[in-house]
Amino acid sequence: MTLSKSDMIGTGAAALAVGLVAWLSGEAWAISACRDILHTSAFDAGGKLVPDASPEAAAFAERAAAGNLTGPELACRARLGPAV
């Protein structure tokens, strides 16, 4: 059995497609984890965190101000930008 050039191209394209799906799945997982940490009701129309919106948002704002965020919370903050 020999592999032709088109077989190698097809294999590379399939591997690339699998890698892309895996990366997009990881991104979707990170977004859903961020939504679990901070619900959209904790933000105003400008995208700023409203600490009074919920006890969780207030606790997150306090931990962020103190620099005591966990790994997933830091990732969420990085995803949302400096508004958080």
Side-chain angles (χ1 to χ4, degrees), residues 4-31:
S4 68
K5 183 178 179 179
S6 61
D7 292 334
M8 296 303 286
I9 291 171
T11 301
L16 183 64
V18 168
L20 179 63
V21 168
W23 180 75
L24 289 173
S25 296
E27 287 293 304
W29 194 351
I31 290 168

Side-chain angles (χ1 to χ4, degrees), residues 42-73:
F43 296 92
D44 65 7
K48 302 267 185 187
L49 183 65
V50 180
D52 298 333
S54 69
E56 293 84 9
F60 181 86
E62 288 175 13
R63 287 192 308 277
N68 295 329
L69 295 177
T70 63
E73 289 173 338

